[in-house]
Amino acid sequence: MAAIHFIDGEKGGVGKSLFARVMVQYCIDHKLSYELVEADPSNPDVGIFYPGNHKTAVFSESERKAYDADEIFNLALQNSVIVNLPAQVYPAVTDWIDRNQILEITGKNKVKIYKWFVCSGGYDSVQLFMRSLEHFEKKIKHIFVRNCGLCDDWKHVDGRDNLQDLIKAYKVAVIDFPKFSYRERDILDANHINFSEAKNYSELGVLGKQRLHSFLKRAFEEIEKAKVWHPPVASITPPVKTTDDATINSKVATRN
């Protein structure tokens, strides 16, 4: 079933772009068909890693630009669409959904809408998630993405009864997005290297590639907990075997 996957978080700096890049890589590694849409053409911080494989669509409360986002729905009729949302776009996205009766139309056309809400653990971030959840209720499936790269202790969030009541009432999937090593991320960001290219990028080194593999493996496992994507066959690239390991194994075999 085709779907629209909004990568949201409303606030800037909560990790939306990194999560969107991982979602794209998840589709690539599992051979899932998808379309990538950048909703912030002035700062395409996900599309820049896929220069020939993304589209743009702007959510705007301006009447002149109100129809730009319609392309997302048109794409979703044929495919699953990953939409990287910019910060502070909740009013415009909500207006587009409500004004065009998107939820009713998607139901008739068998297109599902998911909102992967990336949270930093901060008070404002949690409040924005609750706001979205209460507005759309069960009409849009929300996935609460706890960014463990920005917050490593979620007890203060788990202890919020109002949040936990909403998560339980709307059956929200809660997943933990693992921390990605700053060194590897800086190298990839500086050179606009996507995760597919990074697997053979010499500057990362053998251990850097291993850390990247471990990060993606953990992130993919968390994505699968949401039970949204249904890959036919997992095809995650195995960790790189070092020359030293191969030499050691050869010596051991010779001795035996």
Side-chain angles (χ1 to χ4, degrees):
M1 181 179 289
I4 299 174
H5 297 268
F6 287 119
I7 311 301
D8 197 5
E10 188 58 13
K11 289 177 66 65
V14 296
K16 297 187 300 295
S17 298
L18 180 60
F19 184 80
R21 287 160 56 189
V22 169
M23 183 76 79
V24 169
Q25 193 63 41
Y26 180 86
C27 292
I28 292 172
D29 282 9
H30 293 83
K31 297 179 173 58
L32 296 171
S33 183
Y34 73 95
E35 296 280 359
L36 172 62
V37 173
E38 271 288 2
D40 187 1
S42 64
N43 183 31
D45 50 358
V46 175
I48 198 170
F49 291 89
Y50 306 91
N53 191 28
H54 78 277
K55 297 177 174 60
T56 59
V58 179
F59 287 96
S60 175
E61 295 177 89
S62 169
E63 186 175 353
R64 291 183 178 181
K65 297 182 179 180
Y67 304 103
D68 288 0
D70 291 358
E71 181 63 15
I72 292 173
F73 177 79
N74 295 333
L75 290 170
L77 293 174
Q78 303 295 329
N79 214 339
S80 291
V81 184
I82 299 171
V83 185
N84 181 42
L85 292 175
Q88 301 179 347
V89 76
Y90 176 84
V93 173
T94 302
D95 177 68
W96 177 75
I97 292 174
D98 293 343
R99 174 170 42 82
N100 293 294
Q101 298 181 310
I102 296 295
L103 298 178
E104 289 77 7
I105 297 173
T106 51
K108 293 178 182 178
N109 290 276
K110 298 183 179 180
V111 176
K112 288 193 173 183
I113 297 183
Y114 301 96
K115 180 176 280 195
W116 301 76
F117 199 97
V118 185
C119 180
S120 65
Y123 177 82
D124 290 343
S125 182
V126 175
Q127 287 297 112
L128 290 167
F129 169 71
M130 293 173 60
R131 177 186 177 189
S132 178
L133 194 56
E134 289 178 317
H135 179 85
F136 292 110
E137 298 180 327
K138 295 181 179 180
K139 297 176 183 177
I140 289 180
K141 180 176 176 61
H142 285 66
I143 300 94
F144 189 51
V145 182
R146 308 195 307 185
N147 190 344
C148 297
L150 296 179
C151 178
D152 58 4
D153 185 352
W154 290 81
K155 292 179 182 178
H156 64 291
V157 176
D158 295 338
R160 294 185 59 171
D161 292 339
N162 54 349
L163 170 63
Q164 298 307 319
D165 288 344
L166 287 174
I167 288 176
K168 183 178 180 179
Y170 297 126
K171 298 180 179 179
V172 176
V174 179
I175 67 174
D176 290 331
F177 187 49
K179 181 179 180 179
F180 184 31
S181 168
Y182 291 120
R183 173 187 177 273
E184 279 70 55
R185 181 170 183 179
D186 283 348
I187 291 174
L188 300 190
D189 289 356
N191 297 282
H192 298 159
I193 301 296
N194 62 47
F195 291 126
S196 290
E197 297 165 336
K199 293 173 183 179
N200 296 307
Y201 194 58
S202 60
E203 189 175 339
L204 288 179
V206 173
L207 295 182
K209 292 176 184 177
Q210 180 61 47
R211 284 190 289 269
L212 170 63
H213 168 80
S214 298
F215 164 72
L216 289 176
K217 184 175 183 295
R218 292 196 301 270
F220 289 178
E221 289 171 349
E222 291 297 320
I223 289 173
E224 288 174 353
K225 288 181 181 179
K227 298 181 179 180
V228 170
W229 294 95
H230 302 286
V233 179
S235 56
I236 302 174
T237 304
V240 178
K241 191 172 185 179
T242 70
T243 302
D244 289 341
D245 287 342
T247 302
I248 291 171
N249 291 337
S250 176
K251 291 179 179 179
V252 171
T254 300
R255 291 172 184 171
N256 294 335

